[in-house]
Amino acid sequence: MKNNDGSLEIFYIGTDQNIYYNWQENNSHGGWHGQSQLPGQAQQITAASNKDGHLEIFYIGLNGRIYHNFQNPDKTWYGQDPLGGEAQQISAILDQEGFLHIFYVSANNSIRHNQQTPAGGWKGEEMLPGQAKQVTAALNKDGRLEIFYTGMDDEIYHNFQKPDKIWYGEDPLGGEAKQIITLNNQNGRLEIFYVGTDNGLYHNWKDGPDADWNGELPVYKPL
């Protein structure tokens, strides 16, 4: 993740299940500071940037519960804080209006969503259609959120906000995956990359917010 000064910062779970981070010094032109520890232990972790540029991490504790920790204005860390909900896997993203959203796979494989409120708190857990093994989120070029996930049948599905911010519902996208990630191209187009059930690497993309997806194309196929 990038700090608001442009320097990179990484977060990771050590082999002892403790949470660590490391960051670039001298505003991204220097070396790395070295490993530092944050409170808590985790199974999985993700990070996002708040509207003001301060970083926030979200993680699943060893008890399966969701926690977060965030930078104070002086770049110190607030400390471990329970957020509510239980998860197997989690993804975080900042929306166009400057509010953080988390999407996660619950203990019973349902897809859940929570978001920041204008007052600075969190709205609370919301269930979305479908069941998943893994979920990831991105912003369309017009600012609408879209999630991509692998179903219990390994098929790839997506769900997206309509112009009124209501969710469309579960929609099959095509392809089968073990793991999936999404990001925006330089021109704002969404693209997904995923590891297929045959261990090949594939991608799919669309040409605009309301355009169709182009379909599965291999990046690498095993022999």
Side-chain angles (χ1 to χ4, degrees):
M1 292 295 303
K2 273 190 177 181
N3 265 296
N4 51 10
D5 62 4
S7 60
L8 291 174
E9 194 153 346
I10 60 171
F11 300 89
Y12 53 97
I13 300 167
T15 53
D16 56 4
Q17 297 181 307
N18 289 318
I19 300 169
Y20 298 93
Y21 70 119
N22 196 350
W23 66 94
Q24 285 179 317
E25 295 183 318
N26 301 321
N27 297 329
S28 81
H29 297 296
W32 287 80
H33 176 271
Q35 178 171 280
S36 294
Q37 187 173 342
L38 289 171
Q41 291 185 307
Q43 302 177 48
Q44 194 243 331
I45 189 169
T46 188
S49 179
N50 272 284
K51 186 178 182 179
D52 62 4
H54 291 109
L55 297 178
E56 187 158 351
I57 61 170
F58 302 88
Y59 53 96
I60 303 166
L62 301 186
N63 58 2
R65 296 189 180 276
I66 300 171
Y67 298 89
H68 67 140
N69 192 352
F70 49 89
Q71 286 179 324
N72 297 309
D74 62 359
K75 295 292 183 72
T76 59
W77 287 85
Y78 175 83
Q80 177 170 278
D81 187 41
L83 192 57
E86 295 183 351
Q88 302 179 57
Q89 184 265 330
I90 191 167
S91 179
I93 191 170
L94 185 73
D95 72 16
Q96 194 176 44
E97 297 172 342
F99 300 114
L100 284 171
H101 295 248
I102 58 170
F103 298 90
Y104 52 98
V105 179
S106 74
N108 65 358
N109 297 109
S110 60
I111 302 168
R112 309 292 177 99
H113 168 230
N114 198 352
Q115 67 185 77
Q116 284 180 324
T117 65
W122 287 81
K123 184 177 179 180
E125 186 173 76
E126 169 194 19
M127 187 182 293
L128 294 176
Q131 289 190 306
K133 295 180 179 180
Q134 188 225 337
V135 63
T136 186
L139 276 179
N140 272 284
K141 190 174 182 179
D142 59 6
R144 291 180 294 123
L145 288 166
E146 188 160 352
I147 61 169
F148 303 85
Y149 52 98
T150 54
M152 303 306 293
D153 56 2
D154 294 326
E155 296 283 341
I156 300 171
Y157 298 88
H158 67 140
N159 192 354
F160 50 89
Q161 288 179 324
K162 297 187 286 187
D164 58 4
K165 299 294 181 71
I166 301 298
W167 289 88
Y168 174 83
E170 181 172 83
D171 186 42
L173 192 58
E176 294 183 346
K178 293 181 175 181
Q179 186 181 8
I180 188 168
I181 190 171
T182 183
L183 72 164
N184 293 89
N185 274 289
Q186 192 174 28
N187 60 6
R189 293 182 297 117
L190 282 178
E191 189 154 355
I192 60 170
F193 295 88
Y194 51 98
V195 179
T197 52
D198 62 354
N199 293 320
L201 180 62
Y202 299 88
H203 71 134
N204 194 351
W205 73 95
K206 63 178 180 178
D207 296 320
D210 297 311
D212 292 331
W213 287 82
N214 284 280
E216 179 176 86
L217 281 175
V219 177
Y220 163 79
K221 292 198 73 170
L223 298 176

